[in-house]
Amino acid sequence: YLGISISTDSDSFQDVVVKIQRPTYHKPFLGGFKNRITGVEFHNAGSQTIPKKRPDKGIQVFCRETQTVFEKNKLQQTKNTTSTQMTKIGLYVSNKTDKLLSPGKYLTAEEYHKRRLDAVIVLQTYFRRWHAINVVQDLREKKRLRLAWEAQEELRKKKEKEEKLRREHERRLNPKTKEDFELVYQALELWRQEETERINRTLSGAERKAALCELLEEEAALIASIGRKKLNADEENQSKAILRFLDKCAQPKRWKAYDGKITEMDTRHTLRARELFEIYRSISKDCFTKGERRDVLLTLRRTVKEHECELTWEIVELIDREVDLMSRKVKECNLEGLRKRICTLFLQFIKTPKFNPEVARMLKVPPDPLKLYKNVHFCHSCENYLPSTEFPVPANSRTIGKCHLCCKLDNEARGREAFLKYRLILEDLRRSEADYEDDAKVAFLLQYQDLQYMIENIWGCQSALSACSDLYDLVMVRWDKQREWSPWNTILLTKDEADAHLKLCDHQKAYEVPFIHRIKHKHIQAKNSFAQIPAMMTFLHRSDNQAN
């Protein structure tokens, strides 16, 4: 606001308040003049007024300038000047460079499009030929790769079969484990049956009896030879088992961190166990010289002298005796029994938790005898009290029968069956069920005797698809992979067939109806056989609920 005095009369003035409004826009210059003497600029009055706003009509309008057409003049003059001068009187124009043009055939629209269509057809022909050549080459390459893969797979299977036969032959010649001796006794039984059948078929009367007696003597001699090999294998396996046991006691404590790294820590008990393990491994070797052997014995003597008891006194006495005999230059073969006795007593020293605390968690027999009474059962065959882990417990068993050792002796004497194939099938089944991670339990409750019953009596020892009877190549997998494995949700196939079966999304569409009915019939047989077991009833109801 601005106050201004205005004269109303010749002698009076009036104060008037004038409101000054600052413009919010840049005033356009609409003309004016300038005083050259003073340099003052005077603008026209129109530039000081606020322009009047036009009322909004709701329609977008444009000014006249946006509606005008910009015109541009451009000369279209040819670069080369030409003429149409003709020969006339007084002017001669040469016609040597002239060309005579004649009109060609008129091309209609139909003919034009037909010619384009013919050209397109030619292009498509060449393109399809090129594409067909590529497809054929691709198929030929795939066929070559497929034939090469099939040949490689056939060669691999052939090599695996030869390696399996060679390994089985080697296991029969040099048996080391319990499964190896099962194969040896099975081969012995097959040989005895073949010889008995040959004798009964070809001989009769006294000759037959004499041949059977001779066969019995040969069988007894073979059994004695197998028994000697078993004693040697048991001694070797026992020494290896002792070393594995001591090495397991000497292992450091391990645990996995949050980042997946394994952390190891040695305690004073593991260090003590490792020290005893190294001493035992040293005194059990026979490759030392007399001086090295004497140093090992002195180290052992200092170790056992830390504890005073009858066992350590006896070990010290035997060590002094061996050192004295070595000083008298006694032969190594005469010291063998004494050294074995020292190893045996020192092993007893290591297995005592008082001297080796780390061994307490590895012993099968707990230090507290009262804990044994809970899981001890009586074997009616060998009349020994054994822990429950020494008894086979099939799924259909109701009482505790023979122990493992008695079952093995009975099989070697009469049945002579090899259960290695069924154990391998059961191990593969449990491994595959563990990979599903869906809390499957039935496969871990069954024993190899139950699996043997299923394979022999229900599935006929052959694949459901190809009728392959090689048990080393057969596996049991889920029929419906959405449900856990059970005797009524399984199928016996080869390894390749099992891989293809597990990739199916809907086996109802992949297999024919008669094949599905045959598999369902086998499932009903298995369900009727295992439904009588009380432990299986819960899983039977649960599988029915999953199917529903």
Short mmCIF file of all heavy atoms in Angstrom, two decimals, residues 247-287:
data_model
loop_
_atom_site.label_atom_id
_atom_site.label_comp_id
_atom_site.label_asym_id
_atom_site.label_seq_id
_atom_site.Cartn_x
_atom_site.Cartn_y
_atom_site.Cartn_z
N ASP A 247 41.14 -96.41 16.62
CA ASP A 247 41.18 -95.19 15.84
C ASP A 247 39.92 -94.35 16.04
O ASP A 247 39.99 -93.11 16.08
CB ASP A 247 41.35 -95.54 14.36
CG ASP A 247 41.43 -94.30 13.48
OD1 ASP A 247 42.39 -93.53 13.65
OD2 ASP A 247 40.53 -94.10 12.65
N LYS A 248 38.79 -95.01 16.20
CA LYS A 248 37.54 -94.28 16.45
C LYS A 248 37.57 -93.61 17.81
O LYS A 248 37.04 -92.51 17.99
CB LYS A 248 36.36 -95.25 16.35
CG LYS A 248 35.01 -94.57 16.24
CD LYS A 248 33.91 -95.58 15.98
CE LYS A 248 32.57 -94.89 15.82
NZ LYS A 248 31.48 -95.88 15.56
N CYS A 249 38.20 -94.26 18.79
CA CYS A 249 38.31 -93.65 20.11
C CYS A 249 39.24 -92.44 20.09
O CYS A 249 39.07 -91.50 20.88
CB CYS A 249 38.83 -94.67 21.12
SG CYS A 249 37.69 -96.04 21.45
N ALA A 250 40.24 -92.45 19.20
CA ALA A 250 41.22 -91.37 19.15
C ALA A 250 40.79 -90.20 18.29
O ALA A 250 41.53 -89.22 18.19
CB ALA A 250 42.55 -91.92 18.64
N GLN A 251 39.63 -90.27 17.65
CA GLN A 251 39.19 -89.18 16.79
C GLN A 251 38.81 -87.96 17.62
O GLN A 251 38.24 -88.08 18.71
CB GLN A 251 37.98 -89.61 15.95
CG GLN A 251 38.31 -90.65 14.90
CD GLN A 251 39.27 -90.14 13.86
OE1 GLN A 251 39.20 -88.98 13.45
NE2 GLN A 251 40.19 -91.01 13.45
N PRO A 252 39.12 -86.75 17.14
CA PRO A 252 38.73 -85.54 17.90
C PRO A 252 37.23 -85.29 17.81
O PRO A 252 36.52 -85.86 16.98
CB PRO A 252 39.52 -84.43 17.19
CG PRO A 252 39.74 -84.94 15.81
CD PRO A 252 39.88 -86.44 15.94
N LYS A 253 36.77 -84.43 18.69
CA LYS A 253 35.35 -84.05 18.67
C LYS A 253 35.08 -83.16 17.46
O LYS A 253 35.86 -82.26 17.15
CB LYS A 253 34.99 -83.28 19.95
CG LYS A 253 35.36 -84.00 21.24
CD LYS A 253 34.52 -85.24 21.45
CE LYS A 253 34.86 -85.90 22.78
NZ LYS A 253 34.09 -87.12 23.00
N ARG A 254 33.98 -83.43 16.78
CA ARG A 254 33.63 -82.68 15.58
C ARG A 254 32.21 -82.15 15.70
O ARG A 254 31.34 -82.83 16.22
CB ARG A 254 33.75 -83.55 14.32
CG ARG A 254 35.16 -83.96 13.95
CD ARG A 254 35.17 -84.70 12.62
NE ARG A 254 36.50 -85.07 12.19
CZ ARG A 254 37.11 -86.19 12.50
NH1 ARG A 254 36.47 -87.08 13.26
NH2 ARG A 254 38.33 -86.45 12.07
N TRP A 255 32.00 -80.95 15.19
CA TRP A 255 30.64 -80.42 15.07
C TRP A 255 30.62 -79.41 13.93
O TRP A 255 31.64 -78.85 13.55
CB TRP A 255 30.17 -79.78 16.38
CG TRP A 255 30.93 -78.57 16.81
CD1 TRP A 255 30.72 -77.28 16.46
CD2 TRP A 255 32.10 -78.56 17.66
NE1 TRP A 255 31.64 -76.46 17.03
CE2 TRP A 255 32.50 -77.20 17.78
CE3 TRP A 255 32.81 -79.53 18.33
CZ2 TRP A 255 33.58 -76.83 18.55
CZ3 TRP A 255 33.89 -79.16 19.09
CH2 TRP A 255 34.27 -77.83 19.20
N LYS A 256 29.44 -79.22 13.38
CA LYS A 256 29.25 -78.35 12.23
C LYS A 256 28.77 -76.98 12.70
O LYS A 256 27.81 -76.89 13.47
CB LYS A 256 28.25 -78.96 11.25
CG LYS A 256 28.07 -78.15 9.98
CD LYS A 256 27.06 -78.78 9.04
CE LYS A 256 27.60 -80.06 8.45
NZ LYS A 256 26.68 -80.61 7.42
N ALA A 257 29.42 -75.95 12.21
CA ALA A 257 29.05 -74.58 12.57
C ALA A 257 27.89 -74.11 11.71
O ALA A 257 27.41 -74.81 10.82
CB ALA A 257 30.26 -73.66 12.41
N TYR A 258 27.45 -72.88 11.97
CA TYR A 258 26.30 -72.32 11.25
C TYR A 258 26.61 -72.09 9.77
O TYR A 258 25.72 -72.10 8.94
CB TYR A 258 25.87 -71.00 11.90
CG TYR A 258 26.87 -69.89 11.74
CD1 TYR A 258 26.78 -68.97 10.70
CD2 TYR A 258 27.92 -69.74 12.64
CE1 TYR A 258 27.69 -67.95 10.55
CE2 TYR A 258 28.85 -68.73 12.50
CZ TYR A 258 28.73 -67.84 11.46
OH TYR A 258 29.63 -66.84 11.32
N ASP A 259 27.89 -71.88 9.45
CA ASP A 259 28.28 -71.65 8.06
C ASP A 259 28.64 -72.93 7.32
O ASP A 259 29.11 -72.88 6.19
CB ASP A 259 29.45 -70.68 8.00
CG ASP A 259 30.63 -71.15 8.85
OD1 ASP A 259 30.48 -72.16 9.56
OD2 ASP A 259 31.70 -70.49 8.80
N GLY A 260 28.44 -74.08 7.96
CA GLY A 260 28.71 -75.36 7.32
C GLY A 260 30.11 -75.90 7.51
O GLY A 260 30.39 -77.03 7.09
N LYS A 261 31.00 -75.15 8.13
CA LYS A 261 32.36 -75.61 8.33
C LYS A 261 32.42 -76.58 9.51
O LYS A 261 31.68 -76.45 10.48
CB LYS A 261 33.30 -74.43 8.59
CG LYS A 261 33.43 -73.48 7.40
CD LYS A 261 34.41 -72.36 7.70
CE LYS A 261 34.56 -71.43 6.50
NZ LYS A 261 35.52 -70.33 6.78
N ILE A 262 33.32 -77.56 9.39
CA ILE A 262 33.51 -78.57 10.43
C ILE A 262 34.60 -78.10 11.38
O ILE A 262 35.72 -77.77 10.96
CB ILE A 262 33.86 -79.94 9.82
CG1 ILE A 262 32.77 -80.39 8.84
CG2 ILE A 262 34.05 -80.98 10.91
CD1 ILE A 262 31.42 -80.60 9.47
N THR A 263 34.28 -78.08 12.64
CA THR A 263 35.23 -77.69 13.68
C THR A 263 35.67 -78.93 14.45
O THR A 263 34.82 -79.74 14.83
CB THR A 263 34.62 -76.66 14.63
OG1 THR A 263 34.13 -75.55 13.87
CG2 THR A 263 35.64 -76.18 15.64
N GLU A 264 36.96 -79.08 14.66
CA GLU A 264 37.51 -80.21 15.40
C GLU A 264 38.19 -79.71 16.67
O GLU A 264 38.81 -78.64 16.67
CB GLU A 264 38.52 -80.98 14.55
CG GLU A 264 37.91 -81.62 13.31
CD GLU A 264 38.92 -82.45 12.54
OE1 GLU A 264 40.10 -82.43 12.93
OE2 GLU A 264 38.53 -83.10 11.55
N MET A 265 38.06 -80.52 17.73
CA MET A 265 38.67 -80.15 19.01
C MET A 265 39.16 -81.41 19.69
O MET A 265 38.45 -82.42 19.80
CB MET A 265 37.65 -79.43 19.89
CG MET A 265 38.25 -78.94 21.22
SD MET A 265 37.01 -78.26 22.32
CE MET A 265 36.10 -79.74 22.75
N ASP A 266 40.39 -81.37 20.15
CA ASP A 266 40.98 -82.47 20.91
C ASP A 266 40.85 -82.18 22.39
O ASP A 266 41.19 -81.08 22.86
CB ASP A 266 42.46 -82.65 20.55
CG ASP A 266 42.64 -83.40 19.24
OD1 ASP A 266 41.95 -84.41 19.04
OD2 ASP A 266 43.46 -82.97 18.41
N THR A 267 40.38 -83.16 23.13
CA THR A 267 40.32 -83.07 24.58
C THR A 267 41.46 -83.91 25.17
O THR A 267 42.17 -84.62 24.46
CB THR A 267 38.96 -83.58 25.09
OG1 THR A 267 38.81 -84.97 24.74
CG2 THR A 267 37.82 -82.79 24.45
N ARG A 268 41.62 -83.83 26.46
CA ARG A 268 42.70 -84.61 27.09
C ARG A 268 42.40 -86.10 27.01
O ARG A 268 43.32 -86.92 26.96
CB ARG A 268 42.89 -84.17 28.54
CG ARG A 268 41.66 -84.28 29.42
CD ARG A 268 41.90 -83.62 30.76
NE ARG A 268 40.78 -83.79 31.67
CZ ARG A 268 40.65 -84.78 32.54
NH1 ARG A 268 41.60 -85.69 32.62
NH2 ARG A 268 39.59 -84.87 33.32
N HIS A 269 41.10 -86.46 26.93
CA HIS A 269 40.75 -87.88 26.81
C HIS A 269 41.08 -88.39 25.41
O HIS A 269 41.60 -89.51 25.26
CB HIS A 269 39.28 -88.08 27.11
CG HIS A 269 38.90 -87.74 28.52
ND1 HIS A 269 39.75 -87.96 29.58
CD2 HIS A 269 37.76 -87.21 29.05
CE1 HIS A 269 39.16 -87.57 30.71
NE2 HIS A 269 37.95 -87.11 30.41
N THR A 270 40.79 -87.59 24.36
CA THR A 270 41.12 -88.04 23.01
C THR A 270 42.63 -88.09 22.79
O THR A 270 43.14 -88.98 22.09
CB THR A 270 40.48 -87.09 21.98
OG1 THR A 270 40.92 -85.75 22.22
CG2 THR A 270 38.96 -87.14 22.09
N LEU A 271 43.35 -87.14 23.39
CA LEU A 271 44.82 -87.19 23.28
C LEU A 271 45.38 -88.42 23.97
O LEU A 271 46.32 -89.06 23.47
CB LEU A 271 45.42 -85.92 23.88
CG LEU A 271 45.12 -84.61 23.13
CD1 LEU A 271 45.69 -83.42 23.89
CD2 LEU A 271 45.70 -84.66 21.73
N ARG A 272 44.79 -88.78 25.12
CA ARG A 272 45.23 -89.99 25.82
C ARG A 272 44.92 -91.23 24.98
O ARG A 272 45.76 -92.13 24.85
CB ARG A 272 44.51 -90.06 27.17
CG ARG A 272 44.73 -91.34 27.95
CD ARG A 272 46.14 -91.48 28.42
NE ARG A 272 46.29 -92.65 29.29
CZ ARG A 272 47.44 -93.06 29.82
NH1 ARG A 272 48.55 -92.37 29.56
NH2 ARG A 272 47.50 -94.12 30.59
N ALA A 273 43.73 -91.27 24.37
CA ALA A 273 43.36 -92.41 23.54
C ALA A 273 44.27 -92.51 22.31
O ALA A 273 44.66 -93.61 21.90
CB ALA A 273 41.90 -92.30 23.11
N ARG A 274 44.65 -91.37 21.72
CA ARG A 274 45.53 -91.39 20.56
C ARG A 274 46.93 -91.88 20.94
O ARG A 274 47.57 -92.62 20.18
CB ARG A 274 45.60 -89.99 19.96
CG ARG A 274 46.25 -89.93 18.59
CD ARG A 274 46.13 -88.54 18.03
NE ARG A 274 44.74 -88.11 18.00
CZ ARG A 274 44.36 -86.84 17.93
NH1 ARG A 274 45.27 -85.89 17.88
NH2 ARG A 274 43.07 -86.52 17.92
N GLU A 275 47.40 -91.47 22.12
CA GLU A 275 48.71 -91.93 22.58
C GLU A 275 48.72 -93.45 22.77
O GLU A 275 49.65 -94.14 22.32
CB GLU A 275 49.07 -91.22 23.88
CG GLU A 275 50.40 -91.65 24.47
CD GLU A 275 50.64 -91.04 25.85
OE1 GLU A 275 49.75 -90.30 26.33
OE2 GLU A 275 51.70 -91.32 26.43
N LEU A 276 47.68 -93.98 23.39
CA LEU A 276 47.60 -95.43 23.60
C LEU A 276 47.45 -96.16 22.27
O LEU A 276 48.00 -97.26 22.09
CB LEU A 276 46.42 -95.76 24.52
CG LEU A 276 46.53 -95.20 25.95
CD1 LEU A 276 45.26 -95.53 26.74
CD2 LEU A 276 47.75 -95.76 26.67
N PHE A 277 46.73 -95.58 21.34
CA PHE A 277 46.55 -96.20 20.02
C PHE A 277 47.88 -96.30 19.27
O PHE A 277 48.19 -97.33 18.66
CB PHE A 277 45.53 -95.40 19.21
CG PHE A 277 45.39 -95.84 17.79
CD1 PHE A 277 45.16 -97.17 17.46
CD2 PHE A 277 45.51 -94.93 16.76
CE1 PHE A 277 45.04 -97.58 16.14
CE2 PHE A 277 45.39 -95.32 15.43
CZ PHE A 277 45.17 -96.65 15.13
N GLU A 278 48.69 -95.24 19.33
CA GLU A 278 49.99 -95.27 18.67
C GLU A 278 50.91 -96.31 19.30
O GLU A 278 51.64 -97.02 18.60
CB GLU A 278 50.63 -93.88 18.74
CG GLU A 278 49.90 -92.81 17.94
CD GLU A 278 49.91 -93.08 16.45
OE1 GLU A 278 50.82 -93.79 15.97
OE2 GLU A 278 48.99 -92.60 15.76
N ILE A 279 50.86 -96.44 20.62
CA ILE A 279 51.71 -97.44 21.30
C ILE A 279 51.26 -98.84 20.91
O ILE A 279 52.09 -99.73 20.64
CB ILE A 279 51.66 -97.23 22.82
CG1 ILE A 279 52.27 -95.88 23.20
CG2 ILE A 279 52.39 -98.36 23.54
CD1 ILE A 279 52.16 -95.53 24.66
N TYR A 280 49.94 -99.07 20.87
CA TYR A 280 49.45 -100.41 20.52
C TYR A 280 49.82 -100.76 19.08
O TYR A 280 50.22 -101.89 18.78
CB TYR A 280 47.93 -100.47 20.70
CG TYR A 280 47.34 -101.82 20.32
CD1 TYR A 280 47.35 -102.88 21.22
CD2 TYR A 280 46.80 -102.03 19.06
CE1 TYR A 280 46.82 -104.11 20.87
CE2 TYR A 280 46.28 -103.25 18.70
CZ TYR A 280 46.28 -104.29 19.61
OH TYR A 280 45.78 -105.52 19.26
N ARG A 281 49.70 -99.81 18.18
CA ARG A 281 50.05 -100.07 16.79
C ARG A 281 51.54 -100.35 16.64
O ARG A 281 51.96 -101.12 15.77
CB ARG A 281 49.63 -98.89 15.92
CG ARG A 281 49.75 -99.15 14.43
CD ARG A 281 48.96 -98.14 13.64
NE ARG A 281 49.36 -96.77 13.95
CZ ARG A 281 48.80 -95.70 13.38
NH1 ARG A 281 47.83 -95.86 12.50
NH2 ARG A 281 49.19 -94.49 13.72
N SER A 282 52.35 -99.74 17.49
CA SER A 282 53.79 -99.97 17.41
C SER A 282 54.17 -101.35 17.92
O SER A 282 54.98 -102.06 17.30
CB SER A 282 54.53 -98.89 18.21
OG SER A 282 54.26 -97.60 17.68
N ILE A 283 53.58 -101.78 19.06
CA ILE A 283 53.98 -103.07 19.63
C ILE A 283 53.38 -104.24 18.86
O ILE A 283 53.86 -105.38 19.00
CB ILE A 283 53.58 -103.17 21.12
CG1 ILE A 283 52.04 -103.16 21.24
CG2 ILE A 283 54.21 -102.07 21.93
CD1 ILE A 283 51.57 -103.46 22.64
N SER A 284 52.35 -103.98 18.03
CA SER A 284 51.75 -105.07 17.27
C SER A 284 52.46 -105.30 15.94
O SER A 284 52.13 -106.25 15.23
CB SER A 284 50.27 -104.78 17.01
OG SER A 284 50.11 -103.58 16.29
N LYS A 285 53.42 -104.44 15.58
CA LYS A 285 54.16 -104.61 14.33
C LYS A 285 55.38 -105.49 14.56
O LYS A 285 55.95 -105.51 15.66
CB LYS A 285 54.59 -103.25 13.77
CG LYS A 285 53.45 -102.40 13.25
CD LYS A 285 53.96 -101.10 12.69
CE LYS A 285 52.84 -100.24 12.13
NZ LYS A 285 53.34 -98.95 11.59
N ASP A 286 55.82 -106.18 13.52
CA ASP A 286 56.99 -107.07 13.60
C ASP A 286 58.14 -106.61 12.73
O ASP A 286 59.07 -107.37 12.47
CB ASP A 286 56.57 -108.49 13.17
CG ASP A 286 55.52 -109.08 14.09
OD1 ASP A 286 55.48 -108.69 15.27
OD2 ASP A 286 54.72 -109.91 13.62
N CYS A 287 58.06 -105.37 12.23
CA CYS A 287 59.07 -104.89 11.28
C CYS A 287 60.15 -104.06 11.95
O CYS A 287 60.95 -103.41 11.26
CB CYS A 287 58.40 -104.09 10.16
SG CYS A 287 57.44 -102.68 10.75
#
